[in-house]
Amino acid sequence: MNNPMTVGITGGIGSGKSTVAKIFSILGIPVYFADDRAKWLMSSHAPLKSAIITHFGEESYTSEGHLNRSYLANQVFNDPAKTALINSLVHPAVKKDFEQWISIQHSPYILKEAALLFETGSYKELDMTINVSSPLIIRITRIMLRDPHRTEAQIHAIIDKQLPDEQKNALADFIIKNADNKLLIPQVLKIHEKIIRQSETKN
Ligand code: ATP
């Protein structure tokens, strides 16, 4: 089977989308972690590296050739034109990498995990989407525990750049609720079975 269904999995910062994606991967579903892969490509893909240096300067990489993430983050964070510029360099490289990755997967469906699936419009290129939904206060608490280097104000600044959860829920085909009183595995299994059934009608 070389034509898997493509399912996006997203959610706000700290919603638990990576955690949920890992449960799908335990079920044998291949997961493309788009944000991690984008960071890897920015460090390793020579044409992308040279385009970043051309537009953002030599400071974009350390003397050892590692991506200078804090420099680039400072460059783009509050500058919509520079954000659009870096996205115009990185997105085509990730798109191509994703397409190559899909072409070697043998599975009824694959997952693409990304934080800004709805915000960037890239969900339109996928067959279905899942939104991992968690109350804001739980998300902030989780991120403060996971990322002690971030301040609460920095977490809020990231949240402000993401679509509100209600809008993501309205766009998603499936919603996984990741609050303290909800078990994840039964929700994942139910959606997994539904997608497998839909993939049987596609292939
Ligand atoms: P980001 O947008 O920052 O990548 P994310 O949506 O991928 O975040 P995760 O990294 O999966 O979120 O989860 C954030 C933190 O919360 C992690 O430390 C994770 O272990 C923890 N976490 C997620 N879900 C649960 C849960 N149901 N119970 C306990 N801890 C959880």
Side-chain angles (χ1 to χ4, degrees):
M1 193 178 305
N2 264 325
N3 187 22
M5 284 188 74
T6 55
V7 182
I9 181 161
T10 192
I13 181 171
S15 59
K17 59 192 164 297
S18 309
T19 304
V20 173
K22 283 173 197 155
I23 301 175
F24 278 95
S25 119
I26 291 167
L27 296 174
I29 298 307
V31 183
Y32 184 88
F33 288 92
D35 302 329
D36 294 344
R37 192 67 184 167
K39 283 177 203 139
W40 184 83
L41 288 167
M42 287 166 86
S43 297
S44 321
H45 187 264
L48 179 57
K49 272 179 98 164
S50 63
I52 291 171
I53 291 169
T54 302
H55 290 92
F56 291 92
E58 295 284 347
E59 308 94 305
S60 306
Y61 292 87
T62 64
S63 50
E64 293 87 36
H66 300 304
L67 186 69
N68 187 344
R69 285 173 60 184
S70 56
Y71 166 80
L72 268 180
N74 282 334
Q75 289 281 305
V76 304
F77 199 74
N78 282 317
D79 187 329
K82 283 189 178 169
T83 302
L85 175 60
I86 190 90
N87 286 341
S88 74
L89 304 177
V90 176
H91 285 172
V94 175
K95 189 170 189 285
K96 200 167 166 200
D97 184 70
F98 178 56
E99 283 164 2
Q100 281 169 351
W101 178 85
I102 288 188
S103 72
I104 55 166
Q105 302 307 321
H106 295 272
S107 175
Y109 73 97
I110 61 89
L111 283 191
K112 179 182 186 183
E113 190 252 24
L116 301 178
L117 211 59
F118 292 121
E119 292 83 348
T120 59
S122 63
Y123 75 101
K124 292 179 190 152
E125 293 165 15
L126 302 166
D127 293 316
M128 287 180 216
T129 52
I130 300 168
N131 188 48
V132 180
S133 178
S134 304
L136 198 56
I137 181 73
I138 295 181
R139 290 164 51 199
I140 294 169
T141 311
R142 283 184 192 140
I143 294 302
M144 291 186 77
L145 273 173
R146 191 195 64 187
D147 302 342
H149 60 280
R150 291 190 214 252
T151 64
E152 199 168 341
Q154 286 170 333
I155 298 168
H156 278 286
I158 293 169
I159 289 167
D160 289 347
K161 288 190 189 299
Q162 301 184 332
L163 269 188
D165 218 22
E166 307 75 56
Q167 287 185 40
K168 287 204 251 236
N169 282 341
L171 287 165
D173 296 293
F174 301 106
I175 299 168
I176 291 182
K177 293 198 171 145
N178 186 17
D180 289 341
N181 58 349
K182 293 270 179 193
L183 289 177
L184 287 175
I185 294 173
Q187 298 183 75
V188 169
L189 285 175
K190 213 167 164 181
I191 292 171
H192 172 70
E193 281 159 18
K194 281 189 182 169
I195 301 175
I196 292 280
R197 275 202 295 279
Q198 298 215 26
S199 74
E200 284 163 359
T201 55
K202 181 183 173 183
N203 283 295

